[in-house]
Amino acid sequence: MFGTRCLLRALRFCSSAPSPRPKPSAKLSVRDALGAQSTNGERVKVQGWIRSVRSQKEVLFLHINDGSSLESLQVVADSSFDSRELAFGSSVEVQGQLVKSPSKKQNVELKAEKIEIVGNCDAKAFPFKYKERPPLEYLRQYPHLRCRTNALGSILRIRSEATAAIHSFFKDSGFVHIHTPIITSNDCEGAGELFQVEPSSKIKVPEENFFNVPAFLTVSGQLHLEVMSGAFTQVFTFGPTFRAENSQSRRHLAEFYMVEAEISFVESLQDLMQVMEGLFKTATMMVLSSCPEDVELCHKFIAPGQKDRLEHMLKNNFLIISYTEAVEILKQASRNFTFTPEWGVDLQTEHEKYLVKHCGNIPVFVINYPLALKPFYMRDNEDGPQHTVAAVDLLVPGVGELFGGSLREERYHFLEQRLARSGLTEAYQWYLDLRRFGSVPHGGFGMGFERYLQCILGIDNIKDVIPFPRFTHSCVL
Amino acid sequence: MFGTRCLLRALRFCSSAPSPRPKPSAKLSVRDALGAQSTNGERVKVQGWIRSVRSQKEVLFLHINDGSSLESLQVVADSSFDSRELAFGSSVEVQGQLVKSPSKKQNVELKAEKIEIVGNCDAKAFPFKYKERPPLEYLRQYPHLRCRTNALGSILRIRSEATAAIHSFFKDSGFVHIHTPIITSNDCEGAGELFQVEPSSKIKVPEENFFNVPAFLTVSGQLHLEVMSGAFTQVFTFGPTFRAENSQSRRHLAEFYMVEAEISFVESLQDLMQVMEGLFKTATMMVLSSCPEDVELCHKFIAPGQKDRLEHMLKNNFLIISYTEAVEILKQASRNFTFTPEWGVDLQTEHEKYLVKHCGNIPVFVINYPLALKPFYMRDNEDGPQHTVAAVDLLVPGVGELFGGSLREERYHFLEQRLARSGLTEAYQWYLDLRRFGSVPHGGFGMGFERYLQCILGIDNIKDVIPFPRFTHSCVL
């Protein structure tokens, strides 16, 4: 039963087990090499791509980057190494001694004993050249190569750190992470802008849906999160959402990421806003401390002045105004708007921008929107004559709306009436059920992740903060 | 410019700022209440759902659960509280003193001073009853309520912890997290089983694709990760993937989660297998230590014996056999298979199961598969007469294939020829580019996340380890 032969071949590669092969030079990432505390001339191996070559009379300087950090490792070789093959963009493996650098620019450098070209770079065809710093628009033409530049390298490392920071904020606050579904049969929200999903025509079963019902790509995990908040009290999701919006704007994508949270036993917008502000500030502080060089690149070269603007956001308490107050402020504005501000009408981007400026470029929560503007699930404030619901948007400098949230209607009969008015009663029996069985006051919010990155980094176009942007007329790779 | 009015309304809710309202009883989650070290009779408030009510002559015992842990908090009240309204499933808020419990069953209990019903539970209609432990198949009928049971509560908390453990494994190992796209124009992989994406019929632009090209839901983030491994060396993604497979099996879903990693400068399958085994073991150990009670519920009530089977997997080194050896083992098997094992033909589930048993129920890597069975990107082993590629699958007890991976063909001319043979040269120019500009030996793998959960918990049906399962004929909620 138990094959000896296959047992004999079992690898002994548990972390504690010694390797049977003779120990090669320790392999180090560029980041670890740069951060080495003691440089007693140990022999190491570093692999990466050449970012620069500088040949002097008797020495050759290379800079090697492997994406583990913005900074490259300086390699010093004697001029006997053939520098012709050592071209920008080529991949190399360098073995040698890690030593203290005589220059002030870096702590350590690698004294090369062996340099091996792993893969050449066809320099003529390579769209990036040594020492050039092409604009982000240019890089967008090369979605498969742009991550090799300093700019996109930094942005995507920050994106990775921000993802970790957001997960960690929620975990530390006791939230349970939920994978809400991507394919859904709920079709009422964002009605006009849904993507529909069908098996590809090659296998389409005629006259029948794969799922028996029409299926769409999710526009929000909120309703599914509400199911879960009825069991776990505090839940969050962080995944892709979709809009079939015919927009080429610098703030919209067809596929983007949302961070959504839902919290039971929340009785006021204040409680919700506290979590929203906490998420923004905590995640941002974590990003600033985990990859300061990458953030500095953005704040120095891509969006000068952004460092101060971000500090201003972080050190001030976010403000709160009501929708009604917002409309008053807009009406009293000295400037003209393309869309005349009026109670009962949605705020436009131009209005949002004006409000943020009016508030001294501090993020501002706008609360209590007209009931008629908002979906069935938002909690009725039972006020009048201007009838509102307990909704909240957070407007931030540069981006406009970053968060949207609300208290949810937890009262069975209120919800039942709202559903009936929208003709949705039958489709949302399950949603009513959540109010039949131990209903609790609750609320939640969503934050657009790409807009968050735009906001903290000062990146103007949303296509530059996501690895592979999808939008009207474009789905490259 | 700077509205005083709106400044005055700024909330002072920074974590350090004192709250302006009189301090209420400290709100505690059930988990925190149960874990309280000192019980000096402080006044606390706990909110949750009633899991049991037991009325004795002079005292009333309630168990309150809020999903923060499997264990509920015992509430002790005097019998003056009306127990009729305190029904299974209702939501309540209890204020009182946290005291040491006289019983050995728990450390602390809550001596109630005030119990408030937040939301009643319509007991007749509620599909779950007090003290019943319905089977998972029964719970599946109630996707919006099943998370309120002990079983699904535990499984979904474990899923959340496993998600965090996987992120943390990769972060600690220096991998950059990448959101690979969900909508893609690559259509070659898994050709027959793709979902196609179109704007919903309500807004379909006639005679034109939204993206100008046919667009599909991703079956794997691998090719996009390869782009990124050319910049960051070590990258991973953890997101939804899709198959329009007409399958009702207990191991398949139309929407499921994959953990995928891609590593540059990897020269052997050994290096890859080390990461795969490390991921499996490290993540599992983290899950076992972060939610032992939840895991114990599964190992005790859902899959008796699974604790030992899992320990057996964790304490042994995973085994390695070649595909060729696997076929030999199958040919020599004493039992008959529905599909006769033969070199050059794919392994079937029955074969995988036999191999794992043959290996003593230790996970086993099967390596070096026939070139003709595998996609164009797998690295040619240049062997013969039985021509293979450097592919690897990990087979595990109960589940079969858990991981799939390979070295990728990094040699331009080899890849060019393989693409030409498949008629894909034009579509994959960008993929060839990765080999023109500083190509490196690299490899990667994917792990089915739901199968991973099935494997460690012993859950028989994949539909029970995902919050909202999607499969043929079913897309509920």
Side-chain angles (χ1 to χ4, degrees):
Chain A
M1 184 68 190
F2 201 89
T4 334
R5 183 161 159 222
C6 89
L7 254 191
L8 285 174
R9 292 177 54 98
L11 266 194
R12 300 283 165 267
F13 49 51
C14 263
S15 52
S16 57
S19 160
R21 288 177 291 180
K23 205 185 168 199
S25 311
K27 188 168 156 177
L28 279 190
S29 71
V30 167
R31 186 193 188 89
D32 288 343
L34 290 170
Q37 290 305 319
S38 65
T39 47
N40 303 323
E42 32 326 20
R43 276 199 166 56
V44 301
K45 178 163 83 176
V46 173
Q47 299 161 317
W49 291 267
I50 297 178
R51 282 293 172 88
S52 79
V53 191
R54 195 156 43 90
S55 179
Q56 290 187 349
K57 234 188 276 173
E58 288 175 5
V59 276
L60 188 69
F61 293 100
L62 296 180
H63 281 94
I64 308 294
N65 192 287
D66 65 358
S68 60
S69 68
L70 173 62
E71 204 185 331
S72 297
L73 177 68
Q74 175 156 293
V75 172
V76 187
D78 71 48
S79 52
S80 66
F81 284 103
D82 184 357
S83 70
R84 278 168 305 175
E85 279 211 303
L86 298 171
F88 179 66
S90 298
S91 50
V92 289
E93 176 175 308
V94 184
Q95 294 189 50
Q97 282 184 301
L98 206 58
V99 297
K100 199 163 158 41
S101 173
S103 156
K104 276 183 185 161
K105 282 190 194 166
Q106 62 264 326
N107 281 327
V108 296
E109 58 187 30
L110 182 57
K111 237 174 104 181
E113 288 161 0
K114 188 177 162 199
I115 302 179
E116 192 190 329
I117 301 280
V118 177
N120 284 309
C121 181
D122 179 350
K124 273 188 201 157
F126 198 47
F128 314 133
K129 310 292 170 212
Y130 174 45
K131 277 203 167 170
E132 269 180 15
R133 200 182 289 147
L136 295 172
E137 298 78 44
Y138 174 82
L139 300 183
R140 240 173 269 150
Q141 298 171 72
Y142 304 97
H144 60 309
L145 297 172
R146 66 173 182 167
C147 51
R148 301 183 185 193
T149 62
N150 278 345
L152 261 288
S154 283
I155 292 172
L156 293 178
R157 268 190 305 273
I158 293 167
R159 187 180 167 108
S160 172
E161 290 295 337
T163 301
I166 288 165
H167 275 275
S168 133
F169 169 83
F170 283 114
K171 193 169 161 48
D172 294 348
S173 312
F175 283 67
V176 174
H177 176 269
I178 299 292
H179 285 117
T180 49
I182 308 303
I183 301 176
T184 168
S185 50
N186 294 334
D187 67 343
C188 75
E189 256 213 293
E193 300 162 351
L194 289 169
F195 283 110
Q196 193 155 355
V197 175
E198 294 279 358
S200 129
S201 49
K202 295 167 202 159
I203 50 161
K204 200 176 277 179
V205 187
E207 327 250 351
E208 202 192 351
N209 287 307
F210 181 88
F211 294 111
N212 288 17
V213 290
F216 307 93
L217 293 184
T218 183
V219 296
S220 158
Q222 179 203 319
L223 303 187
H224 299 97
L225 274 190
E226 283 189 65
V227 165
M228 295 296 162
S229 71
F232 302 108
T233 305
Q234 300 188 108
V235 290
F236 82 105
T237 190
F238 184 173
T241 49
F242 305 85
R243 295 277 192 296
E245 224 166 347
N246 197 340
S247 165
Q248 295 276 2
S249 115
R250 54 173 198 79
R251 301 192 315 148
H252 292 89
L253 289 169
E255 172 179 319
F256 59 99
Y257 280 75
M258 282 246 279
V259 178
E260 295 179 271
E262 199 70 28
I263 311 172
S264 286
F265 300 103
V266 149
E267 289 180 37
S268 75
L269 284 179
Q270 252 77 354
D271 293 342
L272 267 192
M273 290 187 283
Q274 192 164 346
V275 182
M276 291 154 86
E277 184 166 347
L279 168 61
F280 182 93
K281 289 184 170 173
T282 310
T284 305
M285 297 303 290
M286 289 170 93
V287 168
L288 290 176
S289 78
S290 62
C291 45
E293 302 86 5
D294 291 315
V295 174
E296 197 194 355
L297 177 140
C298 297
H299 287 180
K300 214 163 163 180
F301 297 111
I302 301 177
Q306 184 65 17
K307 187 172 192 280
D308 294 339
R309 288 192 287 270
L310 182 60
E311 269 174 15
H312 184 63
M313 291 187 235
L314 290 174
K315 78 175 182 216
N316 283 288
N317 290 315
F318 292 2
L319 305 174
I320 305 175
I321 57 176
S322 71
Y323 167 86
T324 304
E325 286 169 317
V327 172
E328 280 310 307
I329 291 169
L330 293 169
K331 280 186 169 170
Q332 286 164 24
S334 51
R335 56 158 285 190
N336 288 321
F337 296 106
T338 312
F339 296 88
T340 309
E342 200 179 334
W343 204 98
V345 179
D346 252 332
L347 299 180
Q348 301 293 322
T349 306
E350 55 174 348
H351 302 146
E352 293 173 354
K353 284 190 175 171
Y354 181 87
L355 289 169
V356 174
K357 269 205 180 141
H358 177 84
C359 292
N361 288 313
I362 296 171
V364 55
F365 291 109
V366 181
I367 62 173
N368 297 332
Y369 283 74
L371 177 135
L373 288 181
K374 295 292 182 180
F376 66 84
Y377 51 73
M378 293 197 176
R379 194 176 199 273
D380 192 336
N381 279 330
E382 294 179 89
D383 50 358
Q386 295 181 315
H387 198 168
T388 66
V389 288
V392 53
D393 281 354
L394 178 67
L395 311 181
V396 297
V399 167
E401 185 192 336
L402 176 62
F403 285 78
S406 78
L407 300 184
R408 320 305 186 188
E409 188 54 81
E410 90 281 10
R411 296 163 294 184
Y412 187 91
H413 294 292
F414 277 78
L415 183 63
E416 196 181 31
Q417 282 169 29
R418 297 271 285 283
L419 284 169
R421 243 173 278 150
S422 317
L424 294 168
T425 309
E426 207 185 327
Y428 285 88
Q429 276 304 316
W430 66 269
Y431 190 67
L432 276 168
D433 270 2
L434 305 180
R435 279 74 180 167
R436 278 171 83 188
F437 306 120
S439 184
V440 296
H442 65 288
F445 59 82
M447 177 184 84
F449 181 54
E450 283 76 19
R451 288 193 183 177
Y452 166 74
L453 293 173
Q454 285 187 274
C455 172
I456 64 167
L457 301 178
I459 306 285
D460 190 53
N461 196 313
I462 197 167
K463 301 176 184 72
D464 299 324
V465 295
I466 190 166
F468 300 93
R470 273 80 180 90
F471 50 96
T472 341
H473 308 310
S474 181
C475 180
V476 185
L477 309 197
Chain B
M1 183 70 190
F2 203 89
T4 333
R5 186 163 156 221
C6 91
L7 255 191
L8 284 175
R9 292 177 55 95
L11 265 193
R12 299 282 166 267
F13 49 51
C14 262
S15 52
S16 57
S19 159
R21 287 178 292 180
K23 205 183 169 200
S25 311
K27 188 167 156 178
L28 279 189
S29 71
V30 167
R31 185 192 188 90
D32 289 342
L34 290 170
Q37 290 305 319
S38 67
T39 47
N40 303 323
E42 28 333 16
R43 276 196 167 60
V44 301
K45 179 163 83 176
V46 173
Q47 299 161 317
W49 290 267
I50 297 177
R51 283 293 173 87
S52 81
V53 190
R54 196 156 42 90
S55 179
Q56 290 187 351
K57 235 189 276 175
E58 288 174 8
V59 276
L60 188 68
F61 293 101
L62 296 180
H63 282 95
I64 309 294
N65 191 288
D66 65 357
S68 59
S69 69
L70 173 62
E71 203 185 331
S72 298
L73 177 67
Q74 174 156 296
V75 172
V76 187
D78 70 49
S79 53
S80 65
F81 285 101
D82 183 357
S83 70
R84 278 168 304 174
E85 279 212 304
L86 298 171
F88 178 67
S90 298
S91 50
V92 289
E93 177 176 307
V94 185
Q95 294 189 49
Q97 280 183 301
L98 206 59
V99 297
K100 199 162 160 39
S101 173
S103 156
K104 275 183 187 164
K105 283 189 192 163
Q106 61 265 328
N107 281 328
V108 296
E109 58 187 29
L110 183 57
K111 235 174 104 181
E113 288 162 0
K114 189 177 162 197
I115 302 179
E116 192 189 329
I117 301 280
V118 177
N120 284 308
C121 181
D122 178 351
K124 274 188 200 156
F126 198 48
F128 314 133
K129 310 291 171 211
Y130 174 45
K131 277 202 168 170
E132 269 180 15
R133 201 182 288 147
L136 295 173
E137 298 78 43
Y138 174 81
L139 300 184
R140 241 173 269 150
Q141 300 171 71
Y142 304 97
H144 61 309
L145 298 172
R146 66 174 182 166
C147 50
R148 301 184 185 193
T149 63
N150 278 344
L152 262 287
S154 283
I155 292 172
L156 293 179
R157 268 190 305 273
I158 293 167
R159 186 179 168 108
S160 172
E161 290 295 335
T163 301
I166 288 165
H167 274 276
S168 132
F169 169 83
F170 282 114
K171 192 169 160 51
D172 295 347
S173 312
F175 284 67
V176 174
H177 176 269
I178 299 291
H179 285 118
T180 49
I182 308 304
I183 302 176
T184 167
S185 50
N186 294 334
D187 68 342
C188 74
E189 256 213 294
E193 300 162 350
L194 288 169
F195 283 111
Q196 192 155 355
V197 175
E198 294 279 359
S200 129
S201 50
K202 294 168 202 157
I203 49 160
K204 200 176 274 177
V205 188
E207 327 249 350
E208 200 192 354
N209 287 308
F210 181 88
F211 293 112
N212 289 17
V213 290
F216 307 93
L217 293 184
T218 183
V219 297
S220 158
Q222 178 204 318
L223 302 187
H224 298 98
L225 274 190
E226 283 189 64
V227 166
M228 294 296 161
S229 71
F232 301 108
T233 304
Q234 299 188 107
V235 290
F236 81 106
T237 190
F238 183 174
T241 49
F242 305 85
R243 295 279 191 296
E245 224 166 348
N246 198 340
S247 165
Q248 294 276 1
S249 116
R250 55 174 197 81
R251 301 191 314 147
H252 292 89
L253 289 169
E255 173 179 317
F256 58 99
Y257 280 74
M258 282 247 279
V259 178
E260 295 179 272
E262 199 69 29
I263 312 172
S264 286
F265 300 103
V266 149
E267 289 180 36
S268 75
L269 283 180
Q270 252 77 353
D271 293 342
L272 267 192
M273 290 187 283
Q274 191 165 346
V275 182
M276 290 153 86
E277 184 166 348
L279 168 62
F280 182 92
K281 289 184 172 173
T282 310
T284 306
M285 297 304 289
M286 289 170 94
V287 169
L288 291 176
S289 78
S290 62
C291 45
E293 301 86 5
D294 291 315
V295 174
E296 197 195 354
L297 177 141
C298 298
H299 287 180
K300 213 164 164 181
F301 298 111
I302 302 179
Q306 184 64 18
K307 186 171 192 280
D308 294 339
R309 288 191 287 271
L310 182 60
E311 267 173 17
H312 185 63
M313 292 188 233
L314 290 174
K315 77 175 183 219
N316 284 288
N317 291 314
F318 293 2
L319 305 173
I320 306 175
I321 56 176
S322 70
Y323 167 85
T324 303
E325 287 168 316
V327 172
E328 280 310 308
I329 291 168
L330 293 168
K331 280 185 171 170
Q332 286 163 24
S334 51
R335 56 158 284 190
N336 288 321
F337 296 106
T338 312
F339 297 87
T340 310
E342 200 179 334
W343 204 98
V345 179
D346 253 333
L347 299 179
Q348 301 293 322
T349 305
E350 56 175 347
H351 302 146
E352 294 173 353
K353 285 190 174 171
Y354 181 87
L355 289 168
V356 174
K357 269 206 180 140
H358 178 84
C359 292
N361 288 311
I362 296 171
V364 56
F365 291 108
V366 180
I367 62 174
N368 297 331
Y369 283 74
L371 177 134
L373 286 181
K374 294 292 184 181
F376 66 84
Y377 51 73
M378 293 197 177
R379 194 175 199 274
D380 193 337
N381 278 331
E382 295 179 88
D383 50 359
Q386 295 181 314
H387 198 168
T388 66
V389 287
V392 53
D393 281 354
L394 178 67
L395 311 182
V396 297
V399 167
E401 185 192 337
L402 177 61
F403 285 78
S406 79
L407 300 184
R408 319 306 187 187
E409 187 54 82
E410 89 281 10
R411 295 162 296 184
Y412 188 91
H413 294 293
F414 277 78
L415 184 63
E416 196 181 30
Q417 282 170 28
R418 296 273 285 283
L419 284 170
R421 241 173 280 149
S422 316
L424 293 169
T425 310
E426 208 184 327
Y428 285 88
Q429 276 304 316
W430 66 269
Y431 191 67
L432 275 168
D433 270 1
L434 305 181
R435 279 74 179 167
R436 278 171 84 189
F437 307 120
S439 186
V440 296
H442 66 288
F445 60 81
M447 175 185 85
F449 181 53
E450 284 76 19
R451 288 192 183 177
Y452 165 74
L453 293 174
Q454 285 187 274
C455 171
I456 64 167
L457 301 179
I459 307 283
D460 190 53
N461 196 312
I462 197 167
K463 299 176 185 73
D464 299 324
V465 296
I466 190 166
F468 300 94
R470 273 81 180 90
F471 50 96
T472 341
H473 309 311
S474 181
C475 180
V476 185
L477 308 197

